[in-house]
Amino acid sequence: MNGNSVEAKLREDIPSARERSPDLNPAAGELARRLDEIAILLDIDGTLLDLAPTPREVWVPPGLSRTLNRLLQKTSGALALVSGRSLNDIDLIFAPEQYPVVGGHGAEMRLAIDSEAVASHAPPMDKELKRRLAAIAKLSPGILLEDKGYSLALHYRLAPHAEKAIYEAVSLIRADLPNAPIEVLPGKCVCEIKPSGFTKATGVRELMTHEPFKGRRPIFIGDDVTDESVFAIVPEYGGLAFSVGRHAKGMAGYFDDPREVREWLARLVGDEAAAKP
Ligand SMILES: O=P(O)(O)OC[C@H]1O[C@H](O[C@H]2O[C@H](CO)[C@@H](O)[C@H](O)[C@H]2O)[C@H](O)[C@@H](O)[C@@H]1O
Ligand SMILES: [Mg+2]
């Protein structure tokens, strides 16, 4: 069985979000009537936004901000973006809108759109460590650096041949600095080096202790391995997690792609125009 047919088999076994959880089927209107009990937590890249060749080339499709603003209003603020991107980057992408955010894989947070307070759990990365990691980008043209201050991402979507060399170079640096409190986070065509001690799940846990998220059932949608830490904890809150485009441990169902996620969310807020495939 080759890779594709294994994936195809998985898809047959796990029905889509709409089939698996009738109470979440917005067509039935059930979930739409219960948005006051729900917290909507959404990953960004590969979930809300289609993947692009480089981090800077993503764009917010027409209608998505309207959907997110309606969700924010209908959940009385219990909507948050849960991303590996930095908070500043997220605000740039969705400008002029601002949402509650768990950013940097849990490094920083904004609990509400009108709150300035941004809890940050990550000090700036050590300068010498950052310099050595950044030098890895010289291994090949096409490797892009993304400096988030507290962490660094080495993107190789434009240089897929460099994947192995990047991870080997990072391992050598880590072996040289065994006490550096960092961890390597594999993502989609990216190797992220971040401080240890926090994840998207720790960020979501913190978010769920604050109003209006506290006491609500989280519905989380995510596409990558780094989202599985949240998949593991949503059942504790009576919530559900949905994956995008891949089978993920602990998922209640899946969406084929970000377009389907956007249409599902639009249906949830009764925006039939945006919900049309
Ligand atoms: O947790 P997410 O919101 O999904 O963010 C994960 C990472 O997304 C970005 O990189 C990814 O998307 C880029 C644009 O589509 C793509 O070019 C890249 O290959 C992907 O890895 C972002 O640059 C990272 O900081 C996020 O951690
Ligand atoms: Mg993602």
Side-chain angles (χ1 to χ4, degrees), residues 43-47 200 223-224 227:
D43 171 71
I44 297 175
D45 291 89
T47 296
K200 283 193 178 187
D223 73 305
D224 207 342
D227 297 311

Side-chain angles (χ1 to χ4, degrees), residues 83-149:
S83 175
R85 286 188 185 257
S86 70
L87 195 148
N88 287 341
D89 209 17
I90 293 167
D91 284 349
L92 264 179
I93 291 168
F94 287 95
E97 315 299 337
Q98 283 199 342
Y99 300 104
V101 162
V102 174
H105 293 292
E108 49 185 334
M109 308 179 67
R110 177 174 53 228
L111 299 171
I113 49 175
D114 50 7
S115 82
E116 281 316 306
V118 173
S120 182
H121 299 281
M125 182 180 269
D126 170 78
K127 280 199 175 58
E128 175 56 15
L129 170 63
K130 187 177 280 190
R131 189 191 62 73
R132 292 181 64 177
L133 290 168
I136 294 174
K138 294 185 173 47
L139 282 177
S140 166
I143 299 175
L144 301 179
L145 269 183
E146 184 180 9
D147 182 352
K148 304 179 191 179

